Amino acid sequence: MVENLRETLLGGQCFSWTEEEPGLFTAVLNEKVYRIRSLEDARADEYLRAYFDLDYDYEKAMREISEKDEILKQAVSKIGMLRMLKQDHFIATISFILSQNNNIKRIKGLYDRFSRTFGHEVEPGYFSFPTKDELKGVCADDYRALGCGFRAPFLVDAVDKADMLDSLEKMDFDSAMEALQTIKGIGPKVASCILIFSYQKREGFPMDVWMKKVMAEYYPGKDSSYFAPYQALSQQYLFSWIRSMA
DNA sequence: CACCAGGCCGTGC
DNA sequence: GCACGGCATGGT
């Protein structure tokens, strides 16, 4: 099946990548500038191998998701191979707090301003997203000045509590959901995005405004358990699919 | 002018 | 427990 790197990188599960020219994706991660055109460029790099979840059997998952029903079959066939990225915990947490009641383009803009304003330059013109230490001492008004709006105090709280993030790795899904939601501005949707796209907890099923439409129209009366054991990947297919029709 | 975007918080019942 | 209004910002 055709790898859909563009949808994986630009489709809303992360906000780090820019398509600098057609087919060339660039991001600052792991203290370097990565420039890739395909996953072949990622295989040699240890960080990217984990980041792109290369050890997971996506062919098998896609096959089984397609067999679930006709809608999913259509979605998988149209979208191609989607991966679930394993992002840095802190970056994902801040990113998805920024995502609430927001759109992907504007989230990306905020992410870039975070990097330029609070992060550090790893190559001329290329800035890393700030670490939690770089955001210690940043106040709500500083975040508002970037355009974060009502999310500003949530970001302060997240930085305060960021030390707990690594400990979620070994928690089960429900405990990790609960722990994340002690941070202001993190509810069930944002928490499940963080757990999927940074912790690879594949039972997450984020319900944003797009998914509410999908569920109401195509899966009335059903919930995430219908998609087990591929809740997260099925959700991502339905999300990309419904957005591709808009 | 309205309404929307990978929602959540605070309040009221 | 659930329903509802409010919320910063920028785009359509």
Side-chain angles (χ1 to χ4, degrees), chain A residues 58-82:
Chain A
Y58 281 92
E59 299 276 0
K60 178 186 175 197
M62 290 169 71
R63 212 159 47 233
E64 298 191 5
I65 289 170
S66 294
E67 288 165 0
K68 192 77 180 174
D69 61 50
E70 287 305 311
I71 299 295
L72 283 167
K73 182 174 187 174
Q74 213 180 116
V76 170
S77 154
K78 176 164 185 186
I79 303 295
M81 184 177 288
L82 280 181

Side-chain angles (χ1 to χ4, degrees), chain A residues 86-94 165-166 169 194 198-199:
Chain A
K86 185 170 180 57
Q87 302 178 69
D88 172 83
H89 300 329
F90 183 69
I91 294 178
T93 300
I94 299 299
L165 289 175
D166 288 345
E169 277 282 356
I194 296 167
S198 179
Y199 295 81

